[in-house]
C-alpha cells in the first residue's frame, strides 16, 4: 500500500493532481481543500494517500493532512458513501468541522456538500456518531490529533483493524511515554502493547 507520495506537482485538475515521483506521474484524486493547500505547480509536494482497489479499478486518493485522510476513511465506511462523495464532503468541510457536525448531529451542515442529500447526510451523522468520539479529526475530539510519526502510527493501527478511538488513545499514551522524538517503529510497538492491555 502507498502511504504517501512526495514529488514535484506536475499539474492539477478540478478533482485531481498529477505528482511526478522519479519520472513517474501519479494521478491522485483530491478534495478542492487539498488541491488549494498543496502549493503551486512545479514545487515539491507531499500527500498522504489512500489506495482504493476494486474489481475493475485502482485509484489513488491524496490528502494534504493525515486528519483529512482519516476523515475520508471514516466517511467511506458509511454505506452509500464512495470516494467521490467523501471528497465532496471534505471539500465543503474540514475534518474539525466534520467532527463538530457529527457530534452535534447536524445533518444540514453535512448536506452542504455536492451530491449529499438529506437522507445520506442523516445516515452519515447517525452512523459516525459513536465512531467519532476520541478520533483524531483536526483536534476537534477528546484526543489531540497526532502529527508526523504519531499520525502514521495511528494509521498503522487502523490498518491492523483497531477502532479509531482505540488507535488514537494508544498512540497518544505511547507518545507521552516515549517523548516527541520517538520513531514510527517504536511508537507502533508500544501502542500495540498499550492497546492490548
Amino acid at each position: 500500500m502507498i502511504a504517501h507520495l512526495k514529488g514535484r506537482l506536475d499539474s492539477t485538475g478540478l478533482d485531481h493532481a498529477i505528482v511526478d515521483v522519479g519520472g513517474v506521474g501519479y494521478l491522485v484524486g483530491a478534495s478542492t481543500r487539498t488541491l488549494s493547500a498543496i502549493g503551486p505547480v512545479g514545487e515539491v509536494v507531499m500527500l498522504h494517500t489512500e489506495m482504493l482497489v476494486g474489481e475493475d479499478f485502482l485509484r489513488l486518493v491524496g490528502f494534504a493532512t493525515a486528519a483529512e485522510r482519516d476523515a475520508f476513511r471514516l466517511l467511506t465506511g458509511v454505506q452509500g458513501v464512495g470516494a467521490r462523495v467523501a471528497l465532496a464532503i471534505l471539500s465543503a468541510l474540514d475534518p474539525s468541522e466534520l467532527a463538530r457536525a457529527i457530534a452535534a448531529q447536524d445533518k444540514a451542515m453535512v448536506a452542504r456538500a455536492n451530491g449529499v442529500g438529506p437522507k445520506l447526510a442523516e445516515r452519515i451523522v447517525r452512523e459516525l456518531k459513536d465512531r467519532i468520539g476520541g478520533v483524531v479529526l483536526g483536534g476537534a475530539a477528546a484526543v489531540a490529533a497526532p502529527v508526523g510519526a504519531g499520525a502514521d502510527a495511528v494509521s498503522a493501527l487502523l490498518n491492523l483493524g483497531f477502532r479509531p478511538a482505540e488507535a488514537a488513545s494508544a498512540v497518544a499514551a505511547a507518545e507521552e511515554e516515549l517523548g516527541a522524538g520517538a520513531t514510527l517503529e517504536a511508537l507502533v510497538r508500544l501502542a500495540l502493547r498499550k492497546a492490548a492491555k
Side-chain angles (χ1 to χ4, degrees):
M1 184 163 85
I2 300 172
H4 73 267
L5 284 180
K6 186 173 185 179
R8 186 180 57 81
L9 182 60
D10 188 67
S11 64
T12 60
L14 288 175
D15 62 354
H16 69 276
I18 297 177
V19 180
D20 185 313
V21 181
V24 177
Y26 288 87
L27 178 71
V28 184
S31 69
T32 55
R33 188 174 305 279
T34 286
L35 292 171
S36 64
I38 58 177
V41 169
E43 295 293 317
V44 172
V45 298
M46 198 286 281
L47 292 173
H48 299 274
T49 57
E50 185 77 2
M51 184 174 280
L52 308 175
V53 181
E55 281 186 29
D56 56 351
F57 71 88
L58 185 64
R59 185 172 179 208
L60 201 56
V61 185
F63 310 94
T65 66
E68 188 181 13
R69 180 201 55 207
D70 294 342
F72 176 84
R73 288 176 176 165
L74 276 176
L75 286 166
T76 54
V78 175
Q79 181 186 0
V81 179
R84 195 174 308 277
V85 170
L87 289 175
I89 292 169
L90 292 170
S91 292
L93 303 171
D94 71 30
S96 61
E97 290 169 334
L98 176 63
R100 283 194 299 274
I102 292 167
Q105 294 291 281
D106 186 351
K107 58 185 181 223
M109 192 167 174
V110 176
R112 290 190 340 210
N114 287 337
V116 179
K119 285 185 179 175
L120 182 56
E122 183 176 358
R123 184 183 313 139
I124 289 167
V125 297
R126 189 180 65 244
E127 285 190 26
L128 294 182
K129 183 179 184 195
D130 296 333
R131 295 172 58 194
I132 205 145
V135 176
V136 291
L137 293 184
V143 178
V147 294
D152 292 337
V154 169
S155 177
L157 265 62
L158 290 173
N159 289 335
L160 290 171
F162 285 88
R163 290 196 315 267
E166 289 175 329
S169 61
V171 170
E175 280 186 311
E176 190 175 315
E177 188 172 315
L178 294 172
T183 65
L184 173 59
E185 186 180 330
L187 277 174
V188 171
R189 194 177 308 124
L190 184 57
L192 284 170
R193 286 203 304 270
K194 299 242 179 233
K197 288 181 180 176

